[in-house]
Amino acid sequence: MTNGPTPTHLADLTAAQLTAGYAAGEFSPVEATRAVLERAEAAHARTNCFTRIAADEALAEAGESAERWRSGMPAGPVDGVPVTVKDLLLTRGAPTLRGSRTVREEGAVWDEDAPSVARLRESGAVFVGKTTTPEFGWKGVTDSPRHGVTGNPYDPERTAGGSSGGSAAAVALGAGPLSLGTDGGGSVRIPASFCGIFALKATYGRVPHYPASPFGTLAHVGPMTRDAADAALMMDVICGADWRDWSQLGPVAGSFRAALDEPISGLRVAFSPSLGWDVPVAEEVATAVRTAVGTLAGLGAVVEEIDPGIADPVAAFHTLWFSGAARVVQHLDDAERELLDPGLREICEQGARSSALDYLAAVDTRMALGQAMGRFHSAYDLLVTPTEPITAFEAGVEVPKGSGHARWTGWTPFTYPFNMTQQPAATLPCGVDRDGLPIGVQLVGARHADALVLRAAHALYEAGAARIPAPPALSSAP
């Protein structure tokens, strides 16, 4: 099996391309995994995107996969595909450290997988390693007291975004075509936008989640991939039922992959440049997003520029999010709290001061927001916005210097509202700014319309609207 792509090229293939190559006997999962592991080491050297690279385990899993492919009996749609997992999700036999110095490694090794990890393992995926997260996934950039700062693959001095920044950097640099992230306020969409990849925050409950997040139903699990087709492939695997999640949705009707090729002609698309909140969107971002919307119109979608008529729910989001953070650290003593990220410590103190009535008032705001978006989607199939109003800024800070924002939510106005409403929302690249940094466009669907969101995103990829330059070659990494 030496006539296929070289190992360097293997690391650049999508999951669908890899499994097609395995089926045709062009190359093996072992060859692909070796190529990806080489990229993982180089990606980590450039961006600090891994907490653990599991080379020996991955090669053993790849060998088992190769035997299954040779016998013509792959375990599932992602058999032999290299995968990374954000270090908030359990992986059997490996520590889950959550970016925190308060987590003791000897007590952090679980004997079970998170539901999405378990479904991937059953399907034969090869687990390359765990990726970085801010402490307990609390903010929209990726740096932590335990693992340091994760840089952007296009410019390591810029942020990768967060909280799934390690996963986004790994996918962008070829350290596995598939990654699992978690999204609490944009945590897969922010880094995907900054790193030029695809990410989907699925409808809440569509991908089972265990252990339950202390941030409650704001936290979703979702795929981070090179394109929408791979995300659909991954969704067909990770949406499998798991009794450990009491809030999971019922079985999926049909295949996400099978729905990709349905036309988008006639889709009712609402384009909102700033959600009606006078968000200052960078000119290059606004232009690139408007161009992507024009592509949707060219494909037959019926586009109208209109705002959804909702108020910014940031105060309610803060009450819910900060209260969840306070719950995360509730068991820590004073000495352990001194080990926390100072920003996390601040929001935990604020969250601890919220009363039950404050929390329920935030829930009321959330329900009203969900009703408003439900009404909006009775008239429009998709809402399109910028993913972020800016591109990646300096690494190692929570907010851009000079922005005047106090918290990360100040520069992420397009993402956290749709965690509150539990809607599916995806981001894909639609251009680059003058510094060559990726720009993202966000597609939001009604609850349960995950397949429609994936279909529209796939149409943009097929039309060439989502192609951007690859990150600088890793050979130039220091």
Side-chain angles (χ1 to χ4, degrees), residues 46 149 151-152 154-159 393-396:
R46 171 179 283 183
V149 177
N152 190 291
Y154 284 80
D155 179 355
E157 298 301 313
R158 308 287 187 110
T159 181
F393 52 89
E394 179 185 356

Side-chain angles (χ1 to χ4, degrees), residues 108-314:
V109 178
W110 293 63
D111 61 0
E112 60 183 334
D113 289 321
S116 49
V117 176
R119 301 295 86 77
L120 288 169
R121 196 183 299 279
E122 291 163 3
S123 188
V126 171
F127 291 95
V128 173
K130 302 295 286 286
T131 55
T132 50
T133 175
E135 192 163 23
F136 301 114
W138 79 272
K139 59 184 175 180
V141 293
T142 300
D143 59 72
S144 73
R146 184 158 198 150
H147 296 115
V149 177
T150 297
N152 190 291
Y154 284 80
D155 179 355
E157 298 301 313
R158 308 287 187 110
T159 181
S163 61
S164 302
S167 288
V171 171
L173 290 171
L178 307 180
S179 191
L180 276 174
T182 61
D183 192 311
S187 311
V188 298
R189 288 160 289 150
I190 298 166
S193 176
F194 282 1
C195 295
I197 67 165
F198 181 83
L200 172 70
K201 177 190 75 67
T203 299
Y204 181 80
R206 176 50 62 210
V207 182
H209 195 181
Y210 168 86
S213 171
F215 296 104
T217 57
L218 292 174
H220 305 55
V221 177
M224 305 182 72
T225 59
R226 297 215 181 102
D227 60 24
D230 265 8
L233 171 72
M234 202 169 172
M235 285 288 285
D236 278 344
V237 175
I238 64 176
C239 291
D242 195 296
W243 61 266
R244 293 173 293 175
D245 183 354
W246 64 271
S247 61
Q248 66 182 307
L249 298 177
V252 179
S255 163
F256 291 104
R257 283 176 294 168
L260 287 180
D261 294 326
E262 295 178 18
I264 66 166
S265 178
L267 281 185
R268 302 165 300 171
V269 174
F271 170 43
S272 179
S274 67
L275 289 179
W277 302 342
D278 295 322
V279 175
V281 178
E283 182 179 353
E284 293 167 300
V285 172
T287 299
V289 171
R290 191 172 288 276
T291 299
V293 172
T295 301
L296 289 172
L299 293 170
V302 181
V303 177
E304 179 181 352
E305 187 166 325
I306 186 172
D307 298 320
I310 56 175
D312 186 353
V314 68

Side-chain angles (χ1 to χ4, degrees), residues 8 38-39 41-47 152-157 173 470-478:
T8 298
E38 182 179 347
R39 282 288 184 88
E41 294 287 354
H44 182 62
R46 171 179 283 183
T47 64
N152 190 291
Y154 284 80
D155 179 355
E157 298 301 313
L173 290 171
L474 282 171
S475 60
S476 66

